[in-house]
Amino acid sequence: MRTRCLSAVLVFFLSGSFFTASAQSQPQNKPPANQPYTIQVSSRVVLIDVTVTDSKGNLVHGLPEAAFRIFDNNKLQTIATFEEHTGTPAVKMEPAVAPAGVYSNDYLLHLPPVLNVVIIDIANLRITDQMYLNYELTKVLEEQPDGQPLAIYLRAGNGCFLVQNFTSDRALLLAALHKAIPRIPPTGREYLSDIDTLHQIATYLNQLPGRKNILWFSGGSTLYLRDDAELYEDPAMWRNLYDELEQERIAVYPIDARGLTTYSSLSMFSQQSLMNETARATGGQALYNNNGLTEITGRVLNSDGSFYTLTYSPHDLHFDNKWHKVRMALNEEGYHLSYRRGYFADGSPGSAEQPEKTTVRTRLLPDGEKVQLSEMRSLPIIFHARVLPDSDPAVESAPKLTVSIPAPPPKKGNVPFSIRYSLPVDAFTQQTVDGKSEVIFGVAAVVLNRDGRAVDTHAEQVTMTLNEDVARLHPDIPLAFDQRLNLKKDDQYLYLAVWDTTSGRLGTLQIPLQVSKIAK
């Protein structure tokens, strides 16, 4: 999936770049402390997270493995592993103290076992409904206990983009919420695709471990605004999406932000049916016709860590690229089970949490050299970036680096910005070229406007020659280089990506922008 993130990026090649070591400190790039639930087998493993509630909606704890039965295409299966999660204490993600304009994705090292993501989808949400949603979510954020980390995404059109990354800082979350809505819904919304929205979210979250809950606030699918909606309903595409969400352990909770409605129509009935289907297929719950958005949101967030995890390997499985229905049952009546309802038997390895083979992988480079790739390549690259206008005193007083991507020509009315990257050297594959140790990596900077639309893209391939003596004596010393961009006042987000061109290991960072109007 990493390649899909960067498929639209044009990569230009730099040559003759050299790295001069500096004495700046850099935290070590360690794997996240919360290791995901993993199973290592050679066959297809199906992993099911299931939430059990009683007739009053209360969570049910303490059920033994013997109480559960799993059916795959109506065939009873043998449970391979069983684990109950009884709710984990909230992990308060304290914002790191950093100089002005310095950002990092090191929050990935301190994620809780279960992640909650809020999608604010205004594609079919009137201004009045957005204002009501803003009011209700404000109460949620103010009343939630400390240490409840969230991420907020906004869907304002074709794109679904990050407004606030995972944080437990209420001030940051409230600022992001009020920045996101209210705003005017997009035109031509009947042509927008819900499948694209969820696929984008799955792509964003594919490097994060553990279970992910998506609270999807919307005004219902825009598809049913069309008279010919039935011509564009594609069950196969939805099943492919559900399979992707299954591999990423994503449960979707569609929430109708219009609240309790006094009218009903065929379009609304179809929207609610799709909400139910998406929730059932992914193990979430659809919530609509309810004005208590604060209460239902709090209930989802407060019960996110209470569920059971079961795995099994289907008997006599044939990779026939067909949809397999999964059904779970309890030996006792009167309980409600929420879990994902199937998968494609397409030869995929099953759960995204499975580790890759532990054997060392060797890659042959174009010059004939063989390099052994690190088994940490599936972990994100943790890096820092200082993003400031060129006129900032911190930029002017910073030491000059020998590595700098050529700056674009100045544009009238634009504000020149400087980005200084600080990357861990051990995140990249080192290779020897003409007797010198080098690392080759890609870097991309994508500029987004307030609607999340990419308005400018800069991508390069960078080659750095390492000082072997310095790298040996100071293995934690960072790679540092500069990049310059021309930004406009309407530019509000900056998406940065760095990746090892040999192993494919990737790190991303999204930064809110404050571009002041250039002085005349």
Side-chain angles (χ1 to χ4, degrees), residues 326-371:
V326 174
R327 181 172 63 87
M328 295 194 64
L330 289 176
N331 293 333
E332 301 180 33
E333 300 292 334
Y335 295 112
H336 175 75
L337 281 66
S338 297
Y339 58 95
R340 61 188 77 255
R341 301 303 174 113
Y343 64 93
F344 268 116
D346 57 359
S348 60
S351 167
E353 305 291 340
Q354 286 199 73
E356 299 183 30
K357 293 181 179 180
T358 56
T359 54
V360 176
R361 186 163 66 99
T362 302
R363 180 172 178 179
L364 183 65
L365 300 179
D367 60 359
E369 182 185 4
K370 294 181 180 180
V371 294

Side-chain angles (χ1 to χ4, degrees), residues 72-374:
D72 188 302
N73 279 351
N74 295 322
K75 296 180 180 179
L76 183 64
Q77 304 295 316
T78 301
I79 297 176
T81 63
F82 175 85
E83 182 178 0
E84 180 183 3
H85 309 267
T86 56
T88 54
V91 179
K92 189 168 184 178
M93 301 174 66
E94 295 285 357
V97 178
V102 177
Y103 303 89
S104 174
N105 61 347
D106 56 5
Y107 70 92
L108 294 172
L109 301 176
H110 312 287
L111 290 175
V114 179
L115 301 174
N116 291 304
V117 178
V118 171
I119 301 179
I120 301 175
D121 183 354
I122 68 165
N124 194 28
L125 210 55
R126 299 174 301 176
I127 291 290
T128 53
D129 293 325
Q130 292 181 43
M131 294 175 67
Y132 173 65
L133 177 60
N134 194 323
Y135 171 75
E136 292 288 296
L137 288 182
T138 297
K139 289 199 299 181
V140 170
L141 296 177
E142 290 177 343
E143 295 174 3
Q144 279 297 301
D146 289 338
Q148 179 68 274
L150 294 172
I152 299 178
Y153 286 80
L154 174 66
R155 183 203 189 190
N158 282 321
C160 185
F161 64 99
L162 182 67
V163 180
Q164 174 58 54
N165 225 323
F166 289 99
T167 182
S168 54
D169 189 311
R170 291 179 182 175
L172 292 177
L173 292 169
L174 286 169
L177 170 64
H178 299 154
K179 184 177 182 179
I181 54 175
R183 62 176 67 198
I184 299 174
T187 58
R189 55 187 180 274
E190 63 270 21
Y191 299 102
L192 301 179
S193 169
D194 298 320
I195 294 177
D196 287 347
T197 298
L198 290 177
H199 167 67
Q200 289 177 42
I201 288 294
T203 302
Y204 294 147
L205 302 180
N206 72 340
Q207 285 192 314
L208 304 182
R211 176 183 168 97
K212 279 83 72 174
N213 297 322
I214 294 180
L215 286 70
W216 185 8
F217 294 92
S218 75
S221 175
T222 60
L223 174 64
Y224 301 104
L225 300 179
R226 304 179 56 160
D227 295 332
D228 56 351
E230 67 279 358
L231 298 178
Y232 293 90
E233 292 180 320
D234 192 337
M237 290 186 64
W238 276 104
R239 287 179 175 178
N240 275 311
L241 172 67
Y242 295 151
D243 200 40
E244 181 179 7
L245 296 175
E246 180 251 338
Q247 293 187 40
E248 301 301 335
R249 290 184 72 184
I250 294 176
V252 182
Y253 291 78
I255 303 174
D256 195 332
R258 295 169 294 186
L260 181 63
T261 55
T262 58
Y263 64 92
S264 181
S265 64
L266 179 60
S267 173
M268 181 169 290
F269 175 78
S270 299
Q271 290 173 336
Q272 294 172 355
S273 296
L274 182 57
M275 288 180 176
N276 281 320
E277 178 187 328
T278 303
R280 283 172 52 84
T282 61
Q285 182 181 1
L287 302 161
Y288 47 83
N289 274 341
N290 192 323
N291 282 338
L293 294 182
T294 301
E295 290 74 18
I296 62 179
T297 303
R299 188 167 68 247
V300 173
L301 294 178
N302 293 331
S303 62
D304 65 335
S306 298
F307 58 96
Y308 300 84
T309 298
L310 302 89
T311 66
Y312 70 94
S313 295
H315 301 316
D316 301 323
L317 176 66
H318 300 285
F319 295 117
D320 51 11
N321 202 33
K322 293 182 179 180
W323 181 256
H324 281 232
K325 292 182 179 180
V326 174
R327 181 172 63 87
M328 295 194 64
L330 289 176
N331 293 333
E332 301 180 33
E333 300 292 334
Y335 295 112
H336 175 75
L337 281 66
S338 297
Y339 58 95
R340 61 188 77 255
R341 301 303 174 113
Y343 64 93
F344 268 116
D346 57 359
S348 60
S351 167
E353 305 291 340
Q354 286 199 73
E356 299 183 30
K357 293 181 179 180
T358 56
T359 54
V360 176
R361 186 163 66 99
T362 302
R363 180 172 178 179
L364 183 65
L365 300 179
D367 60 359
E369 182 185 4
K370 294 181 180 180
V371 294
Q372 292 183 346
L373 303 182
S374 169

